[in-house]
Amino acid sequence: MATSKHAEKWTDVYTYTTLSTPTCIRLLSIKPRTQTADMSQPMQLCMREVDLDDNPVYETLSYTWGEPLTVFSTLQAKLEALSSSTKELLPVLCEGKILHVTYNLYMYLLTWRRIQSLMADKEIMEKMGPGVANSSLKLPEEMWIDAVCINQADIDEKSAQVAMMGRIYSSCQKVTIWLGPQDEFSTTALTILKRLSRVSQEEARAFVKMDDEAVCQLLGFPDTTSSVWWSVFALLNRAWFRRVWVVQELALAPEAQVQCGMISTSWELISRSCIVLLESGLGATIDSLAWFEIEGPTIDEPLFDHNLNPIMRYRKRDDITRNLFTTLHSKDVQGCYWSAYLLHLARCGGAEDVDTEELMFAPGSKVKRKIEHIPLMHVLENFRSFNATDSRDKIYAFLDIATRTVHQPYGDGVRHMREIKPNYRLSCEEVYLNGAWAILLGGGGSLELLCRQHIWKPSADDDRNYLELPSWVPDWSRQVTMKGMVGMYSPRWKACRELKWSSPDEAERVYTKFLPVNGILIDTILEAVDVLPSDEQVTIWAKSGEVAARLPKEYPWLSAVGSERGEGGQTPGEVLWRTLVADTMEHQTPASGKRFHRFFWREWMGQLKEALRLHHTDFSDLEREKDWRRYFMNSDDLFPAYSKEEPLAWEVESEAEEDEDDMVSVIQEMDARQGLAPINPVDVKESVFDKLTRDLRNSLLDEDNDQSDGGARKEAIDPRALELASVPTPSDKKAPSSPVIAKKGRKTYQQHKLAMFREQHSRVNYGRAIFRTKMHYLGNGPAAAIQGDQVWVVAGAEAPLILRPDGDRFRIVGDAYVHGIMFGEGLEKGELKEIELV
């Protein structure tokens, strides 16, 4: 770096002075009269102290301390990002003395200086025109930047300044979101996101009933198999979108501007486009195809069984054959659009997207009032996947945007409550324990926090030094391997009915590692499915079917809601599919049995038939041998009414027409309002998945294809469209006729409903496994559950809890769906008993 060769001229290290008052902060600026200096000269900064009580004018920076990029077009670029070069601290000059900053901050400071120099050059500004002079490209005179403006070596100052960060960001004029320097993806991504941001949320919901190909054609985009979409994946997976502190920084600032290198755009453009990706389903498709390119295997030429059904053969693919690389792991990150969507919710206070009655995220819900804060436990849960260098920040970073108590203010009728204040002299275990007690004591008798914690199943990661916490205290530093049964997209169960948790009367029993609760023992687990890391979905379902097949022919524990509706006894097969989706479909509990029983039959049996076909070609695979046997042994017991044929006749195609007119009208309105030019594909690398689908289409469907000679498909964005986000999109060409696309590309009723079934199943079963109790309760609980664990209904916990005896006390294994006791039926099984969780 240029600064390094000049650093020898200065030997003094910048020394922080003590801030004058508790409300003082430091502000940073580029040294005056050096804005037009040679860019090879060292960075020279100024620092001054101001008091927030004096209402100073300043802006703030939101960025990540580490490497900002996570997705790369070459393996070499990925390896360079993982090297130590970008982790080194780089020297700048502050008041003529050396101050070290991180690589990413250094890159921003260089950009800041460059833009300031451009803005100060009258000749350049005249050439660029008045529009640029008045644009958001103009950077501030002074900024507050945490890494530099806080003396990080002073623990007490750091604690005090972190406690003021809510006020610091609320009082600034604007926050600049620094995503990092530009790369080969950024300009293309911002062009696509700009177009997506013009689509309304209602229009995006209409798209979800269309094929992705039709949606892309309507908007003038290449198909989702095109590598163009990797740009969106890469930009939205930049490290900034998963950093805990950015939630508060974005939520509280009055104005937010996004900057990527020299390109500047609004936060609203990013958030609106991510809502479209979420609501339309395009985001999920982009994710799946990008991860296939990064992690997917090679699919060989298909074999065929005796019925001419294709059997795909897979093998590991070398990095040299891939065109996309990342430093992330698919199991550790959410959808590329999802983090930005959550940040949108935090910024708007949930005004548009939070269910006010249940205080949980629900995309597209209608609300009547704005929620000013999100309860602490909910914000911790929803941003749990975000990263923090210091694990204590997993709580400290959210204090100023979350309600300090869930239901009532601190100190107002809450016994033994202690306010949570940033204190970096406490250990992480102490911070998490104190946070858990604060949430429970202020929770109005709710033990929902216990549904956010579970015992991790032993895995290859167990050699890590995890925090030593009581089983009931969530370890927010770890990524979840199981989603809570109570929370996002789940109904409000009432396993405990109106019973509430009562805090201990004695002050010495509060803020300890032991949590007293009252509960009723329901039953003991007799057998649980052992889900192995290597298990495919078909294997897990086969194991689940084997457990469910040992239920009585008529399930003895019908739910109270089912009894009220006059439902009779349920077969093991019906109990199984209801348990796998927590008996909830389309926000309806219990789910519609007539429709989804058959959907599950079709999906479950289809998967097992695939296992049977694979068995015919690989007799050496003992696990597939077991799947094959389970298929024949259990199908008649689980689905006696449907075991002779697949249920196709009942599906009525006309049901798909029920909202077609509305969908077409929405798209017609969009087409008339937006003169969108198509983004044409030209000349970039071919996606492996794109090549795969093309080759399979040729070999299996034998349809004409111009690429039959094996030449690479060339798809990318038209170079003319690769302009800055501030430049209007050309409109010389129109997208194809919307009604035609809407009708031709519409998903069938069966496709739409089956996709919903699979989505609900995937959501509920994330990290879970089927179990059966001694008295034949069937449940869906933590994958770590084992024989001998107990099912309890606990006062204040809306879902049953799986507890593991530990001497005279119990450890939480996790929450569960247990068919037949989700609405308080378990309270009739005995008397409440006080136990302690440890």
PDB file of all heavy atoms in Angstrom, residues 71-82:
ATOM      1  N   VAL A  71     -18.088 -13.903  -2.204  1.00  0.00           N
ATOM      2  CA  VAL A  71     -18.343 -14.695  -3.410  1.00  0.00           C
ATOM      3  C   VAL A  71     -17.375 -14.251  -4.500  1.00  0.00           C
ATOM      4  O   VAL A  71     -17.178 -13.040  -4.700  1.00  0.00           O
ATOM      5  CB  VAL A  71     -19.805 -14.543  -3.885  1.00  0.00           C
ATOM      6  CG1 VAL A  71     -20.055 -15.358  -5.150  1.00  0.00           C
ATOM      7  CG2 VAL A  71     -20.773 -14.970  -2.776  1.00  0.00           C
ATOM      8  N   PHE A  72     -16.794 -15.217  -5.207  1.00  0.00           N
ATOM      9  CA  PHE A  72     -15.734 -14.918  -6.169  1.00  0.00           C
ATOM     10  C   PHE A  72     -15.925 -15.734  -7.443  1.00  0.00           C
ATOM     11  O   PHE A  72     -16.508 -16.810  -7.419  1.00  0.00           O
ATOM     12  CB  PHE A  72     -14.365 -15.222  -5.550  1.00  0.00           C
ATOM     13  CG  PHE A  72     -14.174 -14.600  -4.192  1.00  0.00           C
ATOM     14  CD1 PHE A  72     -14.515 -15.296  -3.041  1.00  0.00           C
ATOM     15  CD2 PHE A  72     -13.693 -13.304  -4.069  1.00  0.00           C
ATOM     16  CE1 PHE A  72     -14.369 -14.725  -1.793  1.00  0.00           C
ATOM     17  CE2 PHE A  72     -13.541 -12.723  -2.825  1.00  0.00           C
ATOM     18  CZ  PHE A  72     -13.876 -13.429  -1.681  1.00  0.00           C
ATOM     19  N   SER A  73     -15.383 -15.211  -8.528  1.00  0.00           N
ATOM     20  CA  SER A  73     -15.525 -15.876  -9.822  1.00  0.00           C
ATOM     21  C   SER A  73     -14.390 -16.850 -10.099  1.00  0.00           C
ATOM     22  O   SER A  73     -14.467 -17.627 -11.042  1.00  0.00           O
ATOM     23  CB  SER A  73     -15.587 -14.833 -10.954  1.00  0.00           C
ATOM     24  OG  SER A  73     -14.404 -14.047 -10.949  1.00  0.00           O
ATOM     25  N   THR A  74     -13.335 -16.816  -9.296  1.00  0.00           N
ATOM     26  CA  THR A  74     -12.224 -17.748  -9.481  1.00  0.00           C
ATOM     27  C   THR A  74     -11.803 -18.306  -8.135  1.00  0.00           C
ATOM     28  O   THR A  74     -11.989 -17.664  -7.085  1.00  0.00           O
ATOM     29  CB  THR A  74     -11.003 -17.066 -10.124  1.00  0.00           C
ATOM     30  OG1 THR A  74     -10.475 -16.091  -9.217  1.00  0.00           O
ATOM     31  CG2 THR A  74     -11.375 -16.404 -11.439  1.00  0.00           C
ATOM     32  N   LEU A  75     -11.212 -19.483  -8.163  1.00  0.00           N
ATOM     33  CA  LEU A  75     -10.708 -20.100  -6.940  1.00  0.00           C
ATOM     34  C   LEU A  75      -9.562 -19.283  -6.359  1.00  0.00           C
ATOM     35  O   LEU A  75      -9.435 -19.155  -5.134  1.00  0.00           O
ATOM     36  CB  LEU A  75     -10.254 -21.533  -7.238  1.00  0.00           C
ATOM     37  CG  LEU A  75      -9.679 -22.316  -6.046  1.00  0.00           C
ATOM     38  CD1 LEU A  75     -10.699 -22.441  -4.929  1.00  0.00           C
ATOM     39  CD2 LEU A  75      -9.214 -23.697  -6.505  1.00  0.00           C
ATOM     40  N   GLN A  76      -8.743 -18.697  -7.211  1.00  0.00           N
ATOM     41  CA  GLN A  76      -7.614 -17.904  -6.743  1.00  0.00           C
ATOM     42  C   GLN A  76      -8.090 -16.689  -5.949  1.00  0.00           C
ATOM     43  O   GLN A  76      -7.525 -16.345  -4.910  1.00  0.00           O
ATOM     44  CB  GLN A  76      -6.757 -17.453  -7.934  1.00  0.00           C
ATOM     45  CG  GLN A  76      -5.526 -16.640  -7.544  1.00  0.00           C
ATOM     46  CD  GLN A  76      -4.570 -17.420  -6.673  1.00  0.00           C
ATOM     47  OE1 GLN A  76      -4.458 -18.647  -6.791  1.00  0.00           O
ATOM     48  NE2 GLN A  76      -3.880 -16.715  -5.775  1.00  0.00           N
ATOM     49  N   ALA A  77      -9.167 -16.044  -6.418  1.00  0.00           N
ATOM     50  CA  ALA A  77      -9.705 -14.889  -5.704  1.00  0.00           C
ATOM     51  C   ALA A  77     -10.220 -15.298  -4.329  1.00  0.00           C
ATOM     52  O   ALA A  77     -10.053 -14.570  -3.343  1.00  0.00           O
ATOM     53  CB  ALA A  77     -10.825 -14.240  -6.525  1.00  0.00           C
ATOM     54  N   LYS A  78     -10.828 -16.465  -4.243  1.00  0.00           N
ATOM     55  CA  LYS A  78     -11.299 -16.962  -2.948  1.00  0.00           C
ATOM     56  C   LYS A  78     -10.125 -17.198  -2.007  1.00  0.00           C
ATOM     57  O   LYS A  78     -10.166 -16.807  -0.830  1.00  0.00           O
ATOM     58  CB  LYS A  78     -12.093 -18.256  -3.148  1.00  0.00           C
ATOM     59  CG  LYS A  78     -12.441 -18.968  -1.845  1.00  0.00           C
ATOM     60  CD  LYS A  78     -13.095 -20.313  -2.094  1.00  0.00           C
ATOM     61  CE  LYS A  78     -13.272 -21.081  -0.789  1.00  0.00           C
ATOM     62  NZ  LYS A  78     -13.917 -22.401  -0.999  1.00  0.00           N
ATOM     63  N   LEU A  79      -9.077 -17.833  -2.503  1.00  0.00           N
ATOM     64  CA  LEU A  79      -7.916 -18.129  -1.666  1.00  0.00           C
ATOM     65  C   LEU A  79      -7.223 -16.848  -1.197  1.00  0.00           C
ATOM     66  O   LEU A  79      -6.753 -16.770  -0.058  1.00  0.00           O
ATOM     67  CB  LEU A  79      -6.934 -19.013  -2.443  1.00  0.00           C
ATOM     68  CG  LEU A  79      -7.447 -20.402  -2.820  1.00  0.00           C
ATOM     69  CD1 LEU A  79      -6.408 -21.154  -3.642  1.00  0.00           C
ATOM     70  CD2 LEU A  79      -7.832 -21.203  -1.575  1.00  0.00           C
ATOM     71  N   GLU A  80      -7.197 -15.850  -2.042  1.00  0.00           N
ATOM     72  CA  GLU A  80      -6.596 -14.574  -1.650  1.00  0.00           C
ATOM     73  C   GLU A  80      -7.411 -13.904  -0.548  1.00  0.00           C
ATOM     74  O   GLU A  80      -6.865 -13.293   0.369  1.00  0.00           O
ATOM     75  CB  GLU A  80      -6.493 -13.659  -2.859  1.00  0.00           C
ATOM     76  CG  GLU A  80      -5.435 -14.091  -3.869  1.00  0.00           C
ATOM     77  CD  GLU A  80      -5.420 -13.208  -5.106  1.00  0.00           C
ATOM     78  OE1 GLU A  80      -6.265 -12.293  -5.173  1.00  0.00           O
ATOM     79  OE2 GLU A  80      -4.573 -13.446  -5.996  1.00  0.00           O
ATOM     80  N   ALA A  81      -8.736 -14.038  -0.629  1.00  0.00           N
ATOM     81  CA  ALA A  81      -9.602 -13.459   0.403  1.00  0.00           C
ATOM     82  C   ALA A  81      -9.405 -14.155   1.740  1.00  0.00           C
ATOM     83  O   ALA A  81      -9.557 -13.538   2.801  1.00  0.00           O
ATOM     84  CB  ALA A  81     -11.064 -13.549  -0.033  1.00  0.00           C
ATOM     85  N   LEU A  82      -9.088 -15.441   1.697  1.00  0.00           N
ATOM     86  CA  LEU A  82      -8.874 -16.191   2.929  1.00  0.00           C
ATOM     87  C   LEU A  82      -7.467 -16.005   3.492  1.00  0.00           C
ATOM     88  O   LEU A  82      -7.191 -16.422   4.619  1.00  0.00           O
ATOM     89  CB  LEU A  82      -9.115 -17.685   2.670  1.00  0.00           C
ATOM     90  CG  LEU A  82     -10.562 -18.086   2.372  1.00  0.00           C
ATOM     91  CD1 LEU A  82     -10.630 -19.545   1.960  1.00  0.00           C
ATOM     92  CD2 LEU A  82     -11.457 -17.823   3.580  1.00  0.00           C
TER      93      LEU A  82
END
